[in-house]
């Protein structure tokens, strides 16, 4: 019996094949090729039959040649298995991280990003998903895990190219794929902004200090506006000066998006931070439908009286007419408990600060729970308990301003999906490490955002496919497993060919292999 080895599509196969001599009652010997790879005996071919010993030897030789020629196998002598194994180990030429390309690279191609024929583009996107580091660190990881040698200058030159020639193509590819998976239906979009800070202290025309959503008020920053579809698939983005009012970022992105893709009608959903009288007026002038979070405590006296007079129970909602708009008010017991808890925490924090003497006249403003402060006498800062108590009436209430032609339930359901864009920002900041940004040039800052945008698109498609496959794995867990999937490259010393094999030895590897049909 001989142990045979062959390679097919980058995978090792070992199997026991042998020539069997089967003799019948008449003394005629039949020469057969038998395969015992699966543990069972399988007849591959009967070479011939004879009772002549010389002819039998010829048939046996023909059987052996059949195995070598038809199956194109390479025979190894396993008489010394330790020597054979040592020979394989000495001829390993590479050990590369393969899981990234097998799964994330496949998704990258399925979306259509492979139309951008730059290998570095794909590498930067995929490593942003797996090892989100600085560009210098990325070059080290690409060499360490994939034996791909790029210099930092190579990356910077490519980022300049991405900004000048490929940015629009990237967004178009993402849009077309999103439209495809949503059956060409993109009529409701969600918009929000966040801030991205820089480690540098230097400001310029783009990087400016401003109100930071991350509490980095001393750091220069940019404002990032993001537009996503239903289920949170990214559609468009843009960046603005770090001190720009977030309400002034929405219309430029939406107008450009609508015109670029020739979309006739959009329903725009955004939180109360985007609610300003100028935004509402402009949205109506441009015939947009919208659903915006309302600041019900800032409404007129008459509207506030109507809101508090509703006496809503848990899960109930009512519509209040407001000029040519609708103000929908909802009540939730769980929200009421959360509002009460947050307010009491804010009160305790203020009381502690008063005791330590940290609060002064300058602390009295409308920022957060500072609105409960007042001056007693000439210099004493105290808590306005009456104002604190009055706010309990608003616990659990939330409002939405809209002109949408949708039903009340449809409006509330659509707005409830706004969390998808909040998740997008969390993923970009936590998993994709979009910040802090170390680049100085505007073009490279935009290219950095673009790479993160593409990485998030791949992340969302991974998430979608896992859901379709009814897998209980999260995208984060899949990415973690991929980091332990390697490909080994061995030189075959008989013909100098390089044999490649993807190592999938754990149960998790097998799950990934089955899920993505690798």
């Amino acid at each position: 019996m001989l142990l045979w080895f062959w390679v097919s599509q980058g995978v090792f196969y070992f199997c026991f094949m042998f020539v069997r001599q089967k003799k019948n009652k008449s003394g005629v010997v039949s020469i057969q090729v038998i395969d015992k790879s699966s543990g069972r005996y399988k007849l591959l071919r009967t070479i011939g039959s004879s009772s002549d010993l010389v002819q039998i030897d010829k048939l046996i030789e023909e059987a052996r040649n059949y195995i070598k020629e038809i199956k194109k196998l390479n025979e190894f002598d396993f008489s010394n298995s330790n020597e054979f194994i040592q020979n394989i180990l000495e001829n390993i030429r590479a050990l590369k991280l393969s899981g990234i390309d097998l799964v994330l690279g496949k998704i990258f191609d399925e979306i259509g990003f492979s139309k951008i024929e730059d290998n570095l583009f794909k590498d930067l996107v995929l490593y942003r998903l797996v090892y989100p580091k600085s560009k210098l660190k990325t070059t080290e990881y690409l060499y360490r895990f994939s034996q791909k040698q790029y210099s930092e200058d190579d990356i910077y030159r490519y980022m300049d190219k991405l900004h000048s020639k490929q940015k629009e193509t990237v967004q178009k590819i993402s849009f077309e794929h999103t439209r495809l998976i949503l059956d060409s239906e993109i009529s409701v979009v969600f918009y929000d902004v966040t801030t991205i800070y820089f480690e540098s202290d230097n400001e310029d025309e783009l990087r400016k200090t401003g109100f930071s959503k991350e509490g980095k008020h001393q750091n220069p920053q940019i404002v990032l506006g993001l537009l996503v579809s239903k289920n949170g698939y990214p559609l468009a983005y843009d960046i603005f000066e770090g001190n720009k009012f977030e309400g002034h970022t929405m219309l430029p992105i939406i107008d450009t998006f609508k015109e670029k893709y020739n979309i006739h009608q959009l329903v725009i959903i955004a939180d109360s931070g985007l609610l300003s009288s100028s935004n509402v007026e402009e949205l109506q002038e441009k015939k947009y439908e919208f659903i915006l979070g309302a600041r019900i405590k800032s409404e007129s006296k008459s509207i506030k009286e109507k809101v508090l007079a509703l006496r809503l129970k848990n899960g109930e909602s009512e519509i209040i007419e407001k000029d040519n708009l609708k103000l929908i008010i909802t009540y939730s017991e769980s929200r009421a408990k959360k509002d009460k808890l947050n307010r009491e925490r804010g009160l305790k924090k203020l009381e502690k600060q008063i005791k330590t003497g940290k609060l002064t006249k300058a602390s009295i403003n409308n920022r957060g729970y500072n609105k409960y402060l007042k001056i007693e006498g000439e210099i004493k800062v105290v808590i306005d308990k009456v104002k604190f108590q009055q706010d309990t009436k608003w616990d659990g209430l939330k409002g939405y301003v809209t002109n949408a032609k949708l039903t009340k339930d449809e409006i509330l359901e659509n707005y409830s999906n706004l969390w998808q864009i909040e998740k997008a920002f969390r993923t970009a900041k936590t998993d994709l490490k979009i910040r802090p940004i170390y680049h100085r040039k505007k073009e490279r800052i935009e290219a950095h955002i673009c790479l993160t945008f593409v990485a998030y698109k791949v992340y969302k498609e991974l998430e979608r496919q896992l859901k379709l496959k009814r897998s209980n794995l999260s995208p984060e867990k899949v990415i973690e497993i991929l980091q332990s999937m390697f490909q080994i490259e061995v030189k075959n010393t008989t013909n100098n060919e390089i044999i490649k094999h993807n190592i999938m030895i754990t149960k998790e590897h097998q799950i990934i292999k089955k899920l993505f049909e690798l």
Side-chain angles (χ1 to χ4, degrees), residues 323-508:
D323 300 324
N324 59 339
L325 301 174
K326 291 181 289 187
L327 177 61
I328 300 177
I329 304 297
T330 65
Y331 176 78
S332 164
E333 287 182 355
S334 61
R335 189 189 301 125
K337 291 177 182 178
K338 184 178 179 181
D339 290 343
K340 180 182 178 181
L341 180 63
N342 288 339
R343 192 175 58 258
E344 289 176 348
R345 283 176 177 172
L347 179 64
K348 288 180 181 178
K349 186 177 180 180
L350 289 176
E351 289 174 337
K352 185 177 180 180
Q353 289 175 323
I354 286 176
K355 287 181 180 179
T356 58
K358 291 182 179 180
L359 297 180
T360 65
K361 183 177 179 180
S363 303
I364 299 176
N365 51 53
N366 286 321
R367 292 179 183 173
Y369 296 104
N370 282 10
K371 62 185 178 181
Y372 298 133
L373 297 176
K374 67 177 182 178
I375 291 181
E376 193 174 77
E378 293 185 4
I379 57 173
K380 188 177 181 181
V381 178
V382 297
I383 295 173
D384 188 339
K385 293 293 182 68
V386 175
K387 193 172 184 180
F388 175 84
Q389 195 61 35
Q390 287 175 342
D391 265 2
T392 62
K393 296 181 292 184
W394 299 95
D395 287 352
L397 294 172
K398 187 170 178 61
Y400 313 89
V401 175
T402 182
N403 67 343
K405 298 180 180 66
L406 304 171
T407 66
K408 182 177 68 173
D409 289 342
E410 288 173 333
I411 289 169
L412 295 177
E413 181 183 358
N414 274 295
Y415 190 91
S416 69
N417 287 316
L418 192 59
W419 66 269
Q420 293 277 4
I421 199 166
E422 295 170 356
K423 181 187 176 184
F425 285 138
R426 284 198 304 273
T427 301
K429 291 180 178 182
T430 304
D431 298 312
L432 304 181
K433 301 291 192 298
I434 193 174
R435 62 29 172 168
I437 299 177
Y438 297 95
H439 301 291
R440 177 178 56 83
K441 293 183 177 180
K442 180 181 179 181
E443 294 80 4
R444 290 177 185 169
I445 293 170
E446 291 182 341
H448 171 76
I449 300 296
C450 182
L451 290 169
T452 308
F453 175 86
V454 178
Y456 182 67
K457 174 66 179 179
V458 175
Y459 173 96
K460 286 297 295 183
E461 179 58 11
L462 170 61
E463 181 182 67
R464 186 185 75 88
Q465 291 192 16
L466 289 171
K467 187 175 181 180
L468 283 177
K469 298 172 190 293
R470 297 183 180 179
S471 171
N472 59 359
L473 292 176
S474 67
E476 292 82 5
K477 185 62 178 179
V478 170
I479 291 171
E480 180 184 328
I481 295 171
L482 296 181
Q483 294 174 57
S484 65
M485 292 173 63
F486 285 82
Q487 181 184 85
I488 189 171
E489 296 184 4
V490 182
K491 183 180 179 181
N492 184 342
T493 55
T494 61
N495 56 17
N496 291 325
E497 289 183 0
I498 298 297
I499 299 165
K500 298 179 181 181
H501 174 59
N502 292 308
I503 303 172
M504 298 184 187
I505 56 177
T506 69
K507 184 179 179 180
E508 288 181 329

Side-chain angles (χ1 to χ4, degrees), residues 116 118 121 124-125 156-170 237 443 446-451 454:
I116 297 178
D118 274 295
F121 172 63
L124 290 174
V125 169
Y156 286 142
R157 280 193 296 269
Y158 174 69
M159 291 180 74
D160 293 340
K161 178 181 178 181
L162 174 61
H163 169 266
S164 62
K165 298 180 179 179
Q166 297 173 338
K167 176 185 171 184
E168 294 304 317
T169 304
V170 162
Y237 69 93
E443 294 80 4
E446 291 182 341
H448 171 76
I449 300 296
C450 182
L451 290 169
V454 178

Side-chain angles (χ1 to χ4, degrees), residues 120 123 139 142-144 146-152 154:
L120 185 49
D123 289 336
T139 63
L142 281 166
Y143 180 73
R144 184 179 305 158
S146 296
Q147 283 80 69
K148 294 179 179 179
Q149 195 158 2
Y150 299 111
S151 69
E152 194 173 13
D154 290 335

